[in-house]
Amino acid sequence: GEDVEQSLFLSVREGDSSVINCTYTDSSSTYLYWYKQEPGAGLQLLTYIFSNMDMKQDQRLTVLLNKKDKHLSLRIADTQTGDSAIYFCAETKGSNSGYALNFGKGTSLLVTP
Amino acid sequence: DAGVIQSPRHEVTEMGQEVTLRCKPISGHDYLFWYRQTMMRGLELLIYFNNNVPIDDSGMPEDRFSAKMPNASFSTLKIQPSEPRDSAVYFCASSTESDTQYFGPGTRLTVL
């Protein structure tokens, strides 16, 4: 199947903003998600956006959605060392797959002091 | 709520052995998903159930893999016989129809 694309690695300094980008494949996806995975742990839902929205803000997190270009981004303001993790973008997998998710390979975010 | 529970957390086995991974979804969730995570392929959906019935198993790699959900609170993923290339982290997730998926902590499988 087609891939959800993300850059593999991002490094930022503590206090700066981080922007993680994603290109998804299915224009019919109802929801688009961002999950966070810390080392040795499962995936934790960070935030999601409904496909009829173009922006969602949740405290330090801002999600932007460009449906025309199938582009999703996650901005983390005032990035902290505790934000270091792998971030996964995910789309719902087509109309016959219920709410199954198609994930990108993840972006490793490293926050340096 | 205890969240999605998976067992074991770690499994080391030898090639050719049978492996059974277990999952208890969040109570009240009627969707259950099995994913596999590897460095090379990332997160892949293996199979998912709705109301205990398998809906899409197109991601199951081959006949060595099987999954069951005998009731609403328990599911198993079995690999028989296991091979080194099956080494991965296997995640179970559950959701309601209109809600997001909640993931378990995963089972790290190593096949020697």
Side-chain angles (χ1 to χ4, degrees):
Chain A
E2 295 181 68
D3 291 338
V4 174
E5 299 285 348
Q6 299 180 241
S7 53
L8 291 182
F9 188 73
L10 176 66
S11 179
V12 300
R13 297 179 73 93
E14 191 174 19
D16 288 349
S17 291
S18 308
V19 179
I20 303 172
N21 294 302
C22 168
T23 303
Y24 62 97
T25 63
D26 190 343
S27 58
S28 66
S29 292
T30 309
Y31 291 95
L32 294 140
Y33 300 86
W34 285 103
Y35 281 83
K36 176 183 180 183
Q37 185 180 32
E38 296 180 349
L43 276 74
Q44 170 195 356
L45 177 67
L46 266 185
T47 187
Y48 64 93
I49 188 167
F50 191 52
S51 59
N52 69 353
M53 300 169 66
D54 53 19
M55 186 182 86
K56 179 179 180 181
Q57 188 150 2
D58 183 0
Q59 298 182 346
R60 292 191 297 122
L61 305 178
T62 303
V63 179
L64 296 178
L65 174 60
N66 180 332
K67 285 193 72 174
K68 175 177 169 291
D69 295 335
K70 297 182 193 171
H71 185 263
L72 184 73
S73 69
L74 174 70
R75 178 177 181 270
I76 305 173
D78 187 24
T79 315
Q80 303 297 306
T81 54
D83 294 325
S84 292
I86 303 175
Y87 291 80
F88 292 91
C89 166
E91 61 178 358
T92 46
K93 253 177 85 81
S95 58
N96 293 325
S97 298
Y99 291 88
L101 297 176
N102 188 26
F103 285 88
K105 286 192 167 55
T107 299
S108 291
L109 174 65
L110 176 65
V111 183
T112 57
Chain B
D1 196 325
V4 176
I5 299 172
Q6 291 187 248
S7 64
R9 291 295 310 276
H10 302 272
E11 176 83 27
V12 180
T13 191
E14 293 188 344
M15 182 173 65
Q17 296 299 306
E18 178 180 294
V19 174
T20 300
L21 310 181
R22 296 173 176 80
C23 175
K24 176 177 167 54
I26 293 171
S27 177
H29 283 190
D30 50 6
Y31 283 84
L32 184 140
F33 305 82
W34 282 101
Y35 291 90
R36 176 172 69 175
Q37 185 180 35
T38 61
M39 288 291 292
M40 290 298 295
R41 300 175 66 89
L43 269 160
E44 304 171 278
L45 176 69
L46 299 177
I47 185 171
Y48 81 94
F49 296 82
N50 177 219
N51 292 322
N52 312 339
V53 176
I55 302 300
D56 182 358
D57 65 354
S58 60
M60 295 286 263
E62 49 198 90
D63 291 346
R64 298 185 296 108
F65 284 69
S66 62
K68 293 182 180 179
M69 192 164 185
N71 58 62
S73 59
F74 184 64
S75 176
T76 60
L77 177 68
K78 188 174 294 187
I79 309 172
Q80 165 63 17
S82 58
E83 296 182 4
R85 61 192 168 118
D86 302 330
S87 297
V89 181
Y90 291 81
F91 288 104
C92 177
S94 71
S95 72
T96 60
E97 181 169 350
S98 58
D99 200 357
T100 54
Q101 292 181 29
Y102 294 87
F103 280 72
T107 295
R108 182 174 294 277
L109 173 65
T110 303
V111 183
L112 303 175

